Protein backbone atom coordinates (compact mmCIF):
# COMPACT_ATOMS: atom_id res chain seq x y z
CA UNK A 1 0.00 0.00 0.00
CA UNK A 2 1.34 3.42 -0.95
CA UNK A 3 2.12 5.64 2.05
CA UNK A 4 0.42 9.03 1.73
CA UNK A 5 -0.21 9.94 5.39
CA UNK A 6 2.13 11.33 8.02
CA UNK A 7 1.90 12.34 11.65
CA UNK A 8 4.03 15.12 13.14
CA UNK A 9 3.94 15.12 16.96
CA UNK A 10 4.44 18.74 18.03
CA UNK A 11 2.88 18.76 21.49
CA UNK A 12 6.05 18.83 23.61
CA UNK A 13 6.54 21.54 26.20
CA UNK A 14 9.98 22.57 24.92
CA UNK A 15 11.53 22.62 28.38
CA UNK A 16 15.07 22.45 26.99
CA UNK A 17 14.57 25.82 25.29
CA UNK A 18 12.93 27.72 28.13
CA UNK A 19 12.17 30.53 28.76
CA UNK A 20 11.45 31.28 25.09
CA UNK A 21 9.06 28.33 24.77
CA UNK A 22 6.84 29.80 27.46
CA UNK A 23 5.10 31.70 24.66
CA UNK A 24 6.66 30.48 21.39
CA UNK A 25 6.48 26.81 20.36
CA UNK A 26 9.93 25.50 19.48
CA UNK A 27 8.49 24.18 16.22
CA UNK A 28 7.93 27.80 15.15
CA UNK A 29 11.49 29.00 15.77
CA UNK A 30 12.76 30.54 12.52
CA UNK A 31 15.67 28.80 10.84
CA UNK A 32 16.79 31.61 8.57
CA UNK A 33 13.41 32.53 6.99
CA UNK A 34 11.16 29.53 7.69
CA UNK A 35 9.93 28.02 10.95
CA UNK A 36 11.42 24.65 11.85
CA UNK A 37 8.16 22.78 11.29
CA UNK A 38 7.95 23.95 7.68
CA UNK A 39 11.19 22.12 6.89
CA UNK A 40 9.62 18.96 8.36
CA UNK A 41 6.40 19.37 6.38
CA UNK A 42 8.35 19.99 3.18
CA UNK A 43 10.38 16.83 3.77
CA UNK A 44 7.16 14.84 4.09
CA UNK A 45 5.69 16.38 0.94
CA UNK A 46 8.89 15.73 -1.01
CA UNK A 47 8.60 12.09 0.09
CA UNK A 48 5.16 11.68 -1.50
CA UNK A 49 3.02 12.48 1.55
CA UNK A 50 -0.26 14.25 0.77
CA UNK A 51 -2.08 14.23 4.13
CA UNK A 52 -0.43 15.38 7.36
CA UNK A 53 -1.77 15.40 10.91
CA UNK A 54 0.07 17.71 13.30
CA UNK A 55 -0.46 16.84 16.97
CA UNK A 56 -0.39 19.99 19.09
CA UNK A 57 -1.55 21.05 22.54
CA UNK A 58 -2.88 24.12 24.29
CA UNK A 59 -1.00 27.30 23.39
CA UNK A 60 0.18 26.19 19.96
CA UNK A 61 -2.52 27.77 17.79
CA UNK A 62 0.24 29.73 16.08
CA UNK A 63 1.23 26.57 14.20
CA UNK A 64 -2.26 26.17 12.81
CA UNK A 65 -2.41 29.85 11.88
CA UNK A 66 0.89 29.58 10.03
CA UNK A 67 -0.39 26.94 7.62
CA UNK A 68 -3.66 28.80 7.03
CA UNK A 69 -4.35 31.58 4.53
CA UNK A 70 -3.80 35.18 5.62
CA UNK A 71 -6.13 37.42 3.59
CA UNK A 72 -5.02 40.70 5.18
CA UNK A 73 -1.33 40.07 4.59
CA UNK A 74 -1.92 38.64 1.12
CA UNK A 75 -4.02 41.65 0.15
CA UNK A 76 -1.37 44.09 1.33
CA UNK A 77 1.37 42.26 -0.57
CA UNK A 78 -0.68 42.40 -3.78
CA UNK A 79 -1.44 46.10 -3.27
CA UNK A 80 2.29 46.76 -2.85
CA UNK A 81 3.05 44.65 -5.94
CA UNK A 82 5.21 42.26 -3.90
CA UNK A 83 4.17 39.20 -5.87
CA UNK A 84 7.21 37.13 -4.90
CA UNK A 85 6.40 37.46 -1.21
CA UNK A 86 2.71 36.88 -1.94
CA UNK A 87 3.50 33.62 -3.72
CA UNK A 88 5.72 32.49 -0.84
CA UNK A 89 3.00 33.16 1.73
CA UNK A 90 0.25 31.44 -0.25
CA UNK A 91 2.40 28.43 -1.09
CA UNK A 92 2.71 27.55 2.61
CA UNK A 93 -1.03 26.90 2.82
CA UNK A 94 -0.90 24.65 -0.24
CA UNK A 95 1.95 22.33 0.75
CA UNK A 96 -0.37 19.45 1.69
CA UNK A 97 -3.71 18.63 3.26
CA UNK A 98 -2.78 19.57 6.81
CA UNK A 99 -4.96 18.68 9.79
CA UNK A 100 -4.54 19.43 13.48
CA UNK A 101 -5.42 17.55 16.66
CA UNK A 102 -4.76 18.49 20.27
CA UNK A 103 -3.11 16.09 22.66
CA UNK A 104 -5.08 17.12 25.71
CA UNK A 105 -2.64 15.53 28.16
CA UNK A 106 1.14 15.46 27.77
CA UNK A 107 1.65 11.72 28.18
CA UNK A 108 4.51 11.12 25.79
CA UNK A 109 5.24 10.42 22.15
CA UNK A 110 3.46 7.07 22.18
CA UNK A 111 0.28 8.66 23.47
CA UNK A 112 0.53 11.43 20.85
CA UNK A 113 0.84 8.93 18.01
CA UNK A 114 -2.07 6.91 19.39
CA UNK A 115 -4.24 10.01 19.11
CA UNK A 116 -3.86 9.72 15.31
CA UNK A 117 -5.67 6.37 15.04
CA UNK A 118 -8.83 7.65 13.32
CA UNK A 119 -6.81 9.82 10.94
CA UNK A 120 -4.68 6.86 9.84
CA UNK A 121 -7.72 4.59 9.16
CA UNK A 122 -5.78 1.35 8.99
CA UNK A 123 -3.03 2.50 6.63
CA UNK A 124 0.76 2.44 7.05
CA UNK A 125 2.03 5.93 7.87
CA UNK A 126 5.12 8.01 8.49
CA UNK A 127 6.00 9.75 11.74
CA UNK A 128 8.28 12.79 11.63
CA UNK A 129 9.29 13.96 15.09
CA UNK A 130 8.65 17.66 15.63
CA UNK A 131 12.04 18.11 17.33
CA UNK A 132 14.08 16.93 14.36
CA UNK A 133 14.85 18.87 11.20
CA UNK A 134 16.72 16.71 8.68
CA UNK A 135 18.25 18.37 5.64
CA UNK A 136 19.50 16.43 2.64
CA UNK A 137 19.13 16.01 -1.11
CA UNK A 138 17.22 12.74 -0.59
CA UNK A 139 14.41 13.29 1.97
CA UNK A 140 14.94 11.05 5.00
CA UNK A 141 11.24 10.21 5.16
CA UNK A 142 11.35 9.07 1.54
CA UNK A 143 14.30 6.78 2.29
CA UNK A 144 12.23 5.05 4.97
CA UNK A 145 9.20 4.76 2.71
CA UNK A 146 11.31 2.98 0.08
CA UNK A 147 12.51 0.53 2.75
CA UNK A 148 8.90 -0.18 3.71
CA UNK A 149 8.01 -0.79 0.07
CA UNK A 150 10.94 -3.24 -0.23
CA UNK A 151 10.49 -5.22 2.99
CA UNK A 152 6.84 -4.66 3.98
CA UNK A 153 7.76 -4.03 7.62
CA UNK A 154 7.72 -1.02 9.92
CA UNK A 155 10.87 1.10 9.55
CA UNK A 156 12.94 3.32 11.83
CA UNK A 157 15.44 5.97 10.79
CA UNK A 158 18.69 5.27 12.60
CA UNK A 159 22.12 6.80 13.13
CA UNK A 160 25.03 5.89 15.37
CA UNK A 161 25.43 8.16 18.39
CA UNK A 162 28.45 8.71 20.60
CA UNK A 163 28.94 6.25 23.45
CA UNK A 164 28.65 8.99 26.04
CA UNK A 165 25.28 10.10 24.62
CA UNK A 166 23.51 6.77 24.14
CA UNK A 167 21.72 7.13 27.50
CA UNK A 168 19.83 10.10 26.03
CA UNK A 169 18.44 8.08 23.14
CA UNK A 170 17.22 4.59 22.28
CA UNK A 171 19.57 1.68 21.65
CA UNK A 172 18.79 -0.89 18.94
CA UNK A 173 19.75 -4.51 18.32
CA UNK A 174 20.55 -4.55 14.62
CA UNK A 175 22.04 -6.79 11.95
CA UNK A 176 23.23 -5.42 8.62
CA UNK A 177 21.15 -6.45 5.62
CA UNK A 178 22.24 -4.45 2.58
CA UNK A 179 23.51 -0.95 1.92
CA UNK A 180 21.93 1.34 4.50
CA UNK A 181 19.38 -1.28 5.59
CA UNK A 182 19.46 -3.20 8.88
CA UNK A 183 17.24 -5.78 10.54
CA UNK A 184 16.08 -4.53 13.93
CA UNK A 185 14.90 -7.14 16.44
CA UNK A 186 15.02 -5.31 19.78
CA UNK A 187 15.37 -1.85 21.28
CA UNK A 188 15.51 -0.11 24.63
CA UNK A 189 14.65 3.51 25.45
CA UNK A 190 17.38 5.49 27.24
CA UNK A 191 19.55 2.60 28.52
CA UNK A 192 20.60 3.24 32.11
CA UNK A 193 23.78 1.13 32.15
CA UNK A 194 26.33 -0.14 29.64
CA UNK A 195 24.84 -3.60 30.05
CA UNK A 196 21.52 -2.28 28.70
CA UNK A 197 23.12 -0.94 25.50
CA UNK A 198 22.26 -3.13 22.49
CA UNK A 199 24.29 -1.05 20.02
CA UNK A 200 25.09 2.60 19.45
CA UNK A 201 22.49 2.83 16.71
CA UNK A 202 19.54 4.91 17.84
CA UNK A 203 16.22 6.05 16.36
CA UNK A 204 16.58 9.66 15.31
CA UNK A 205 13.45 11.48 14.32
CA UNK A 206 11.75 9.36 11.67
CA UNK A 207 9.80 6.12 11.38
CA UNK A 208 7.23 4.39 9.20
CA UNK A 209 4.66 2.41 11.16
CA UNK A 210 2.06 -0.19 10.33
CA UNK A 211 -1.44 0.26 11.78
CA UNK A 212 -0.99 -2.64 14.24
CA UNK A 213 1.10 -0.22 16.32
CA UNK A 214 -2.15 1.22 17.73
CA UNK A 215 -3.23 -2.03 19.39
CA UNK A 216 0.25 -2.28 20.89
CA UNK A 217 0.10 1.31 22.14
CA UNK A 218 -3.23 0.57 23.84
CA UNK A 219 -1.41 -1.99 25.99
CA UNK A 220 1.78 0.01 26.55
CA UNK A 221 2.30 1.18 30.11
CA UNK A 222 4.22 4.35 31.06
CA UNK A 223 7.98 3.92 30.72
CA UNK A 224 10.91 6.34 30.84
CA UNK A 225 9.90 9.67 32.35
CA UNK A 226 6.51 8.26 33.32
CA UNK A 227 5.33 8.69 29.72
CA UNK A 228 3.98 6.25 27.13
CA UNK A 229 7.05 5.75 24.99
CA UNK A 230 6.67 5.02 21.29
CA UNK A 231 9.95 3.08 21.51
CA UNK A 232 8.39 0.63 23.97
CA UNK A 233 5.58 -0.09 21.51
CA UNK A 234 7.94 -0.41 18.57
CA UNK A 235 10.02 -2.84 20.63
CA UNK A 236 7.05 -5.22 20.58
CA UNK A 237 6.97 -5.04 16.78
CA UNK A 238 10.72 -5.53 16.58
CA UNK A 239 10.65 -8.58 18.84
CA UNK A 240 7.65 -10.23 17.15
CA UNK A 241 7.54 -9.44 13.42
CA UNK A 242 10.78 -7.47 13.13
CA UNK A 243 11.49 -3.96 11.88
CA UNK A 244 13.87 -2.40 9.38
CA UNK A 245 16.42 0.24 10.29
CA UNK A 246 17.59 2.74 7.67
CA UNK A 247 20.87 4.56 8.28
CA UNK A 248 19.51 7.59 6.44
CA UNK A 249 21.54 10.23 4.68
CA UNK A 250 21.10 13.89 5.58
CA UNK A 251 22.08 16.17 8.45
CA UNK A 252 19.86 16.05 11.54
CA UNK A 253 19.37 19.10 13.73
CA UNK A 254 17.80 18.74 17.17
CA UNK A 255 15.74 21.92 17.39
CA UNK A 256 14.57 20.89 20.83
CA UNK A 257 17.77 22.31 22.29
CA UNK A 258 19.54 25.65 22.00
CA UNK A 259 22.71 24.42 20.33
CA UNK A 260 20.75 22.51 17.68
CA UNK A 261 18.77 25.62 16.77
CA UNK A 262 21.96 27.65 16.43
CA UNK A 263 23.68 24.97 14.33
CA UNK A 264 20.72 24.74 11.96
CA UNK A 265 20.48 28.52 11.60
CA UNK A 266 24.17 29.00 10.85
CA UNK A 267 24.59 26.04 8.50
CA UNK A 268 21.43 26.71 6.50
CA UNK A 269 22.23 30.42 6.29
CA UNK A 270 25.57 29.46 4.73
CA UNK A 271 23.60 27.62 2.00
CA UNK A 272 20.82 30.18 1.51
CA UNK A 273 20.98 31.64 -2.04
CA UNK A 274 20.21 35.20 -0.89
CA UNK A 275 22.41 35.23 2.20
CA UNK A 276 25.27 32.77 1.86
CA UNK A 277 27.92 35.15 0.47
CA UNK A 278 27.27 38.01 2.90
CA UNK A 279 26.81 35.65 5.83
CA UNK A 280 30.02 33.77 5.06
CA UNK A 281 31.89 37.08 4.97
CA UNK A 282 30.33 38.02 8.30
CA UNK A 283 31.38 34.72 9.86
CA UNK A 284 34.96 35.15 8.61
CA UNK A 285 35.15 38.69 10.00
CA UNK A 286 33.69 37.57 13.28
CA UNK A 287 36.17 34.69 13.56
CA UNK A 288 39.08 37.04 12.98
CA UNK A 289 37.93 39.22 15.89
CA UNK A 290 37.63 36.38 18.38
Amino acid sequence: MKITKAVIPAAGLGTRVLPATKSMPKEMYPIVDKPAIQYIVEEAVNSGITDILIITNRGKNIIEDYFDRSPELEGRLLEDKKEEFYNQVVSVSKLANIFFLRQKETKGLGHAVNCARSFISGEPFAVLYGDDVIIGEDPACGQLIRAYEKYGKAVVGIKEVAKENIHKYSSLKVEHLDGTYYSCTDMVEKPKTEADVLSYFSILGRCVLTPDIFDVLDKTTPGAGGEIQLTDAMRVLAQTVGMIGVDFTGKRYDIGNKLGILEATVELALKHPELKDDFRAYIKNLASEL
Side-chain angles (χ1 to χ4, degrees):
M1 179 181 291
K2 185 175 177 61
I3 295 177
T4 60
K5 292 182 178 180
V7 176
I8 301 177
L13 297 177
T15 53
R16 291 181 294 163
V17 203
L18 283 169
T21 45
K22 181 176 181 292
S23 60
M24 169 69 79
K26 62 182 180 296
E27 297 86 3
M28 289 300 297
Y29 282 180
I31 300 177
V32 187
D33 54 0
K34 295 189 292 189
I37 197 167
Q38 184 172 339
Y39 289 92
I40 299 172
V41 168
E42 288 174 343
E43 178 194 329
V45 172
N46 291 334
S47 302
I49 299 296
T50 58
D51 299 282
I52 299 172
L53 177 66
I54 300 178
I55 308 291
T56 64
N57 62 10
R58 187 173 64 85
K60 294 197 174 186
N61 293 342
I62 186 175
I63 299 176
E64 187 168 353
D65 290 342
Y66 181 76
F67 288 103
D68 197 1
R69 295 292 295 267
S70 180
E72 298 83 359
L73 174 60
E74 293 168 17
R76 176 57 63 89
L77 291 173
L78 287 177
E79 284 180 18
D80 294 342
K81 302 188 185 308
K82 296 180 178 179
E83 292 187 7
E84 181 178 354
F85 291 122
Y86 169 82
N87 291 333
Q88 289 177 356
V89 169
V90 172
S91 68
V92 171
S93 66
K94 296 181 177 181
L95 285 169
N97 301 316
I98 301 179
F99 308 87
F100 296 87
L101 179 69
R102 281 193 177 191
Q103 183 185 19
K104 296 180 175 62
E105 299 175 86
T106 307
K107 291 185 175 181
L109 182 59
H111 179 266
V113 170
N114 207 13
C115 291
R117 182 192 295 259
S118 60
F119 171 77
I120 296 305
S121 299
E123 301 177 28
F125 63 102
V127 179
L128 298 89
Y129 298 11
D131 279 352
D132 295 288
V133 170
I134 302 176
I135 303 297
E137 293 184 6
D138 186 7
C141 180
Q143 296 174 52
L144 271 63
I145 289 174
R146 292 198 298 271
Y148 170 80
E149 292 171 345
K150 179 175 181 177
Y151 292 98
K153 295 181 179 181
V155 185
V156 286
I158 64 175
K159 302 297 286 185
E160 283 192 282
V161 300
K163 179 179 179 179
E164 62 270 19
N165 292 330
I166 192 65
H167 68 282
K168 301 177 184 177
Y169 298 95
S170 57
S171 174
L172 312 182
K173 183 179 181 181
V174 296
E175 181 179 346
H176 186 244
L177 292 173
D178 178 54
T180 59
Y181 296 155
Y182 292 77
S183 172
C184 175
T185 54
D186 201 359
M187 60 185 71
V188 59
E189 177 70 12
K190 297 181 180 178
K192 295 180 180 179
T193 68
E194 185 66 24
D196 297 324
V197 175
L198 303 174
S199 77
Y200 294 107
F201 273 107
S202 182
I203 302 169
L204 292 185
R206 302 291 183 267
C207 55
V208 168
L209 298 174
T210 47
D212 50 344
I213 192 68
F214 294 114
D215 290 337
V216 179
L217 283 167
D218 284 342
K219 301 172 185 176
T220 302
T221 57
E227 298 180 335
I228 297 174
Q229 297 291 343
L230 182 60
T231 304
D232 291 341
M234 290 192 292
R235 184 185 188 191
V236 174
L237 295 185
Q239 291 178 330
T240 53
V241 297
M243 297 184 71
I244 301 299
V246 176
D247 187 2
F248 61 85
T249 60
K251 177 67 179 289
R252 168 189 174 261
Y253 301 97
D254 181 0
I255 57 92
N257 74 64
K258 300 167 188 176
L259 181 59
I261 294 170
L262 291 172
E263 289 173 343
T265 300
V266 170
E267 293 181 26
L268 292 182
L270 288 170
K271 299 175 182 179
H272 195 284
E274 296 177 17
L275 301 173
K276 59 183 180 180
D277 293 336
D278 289 341
F279 191 66
R280 189 176 299 275
Y282 165 75
I283 291 293
K284 288 182 178 179
N285 290 334
L286 181 62
S288 67
E289 296 173 2
L290 296 178

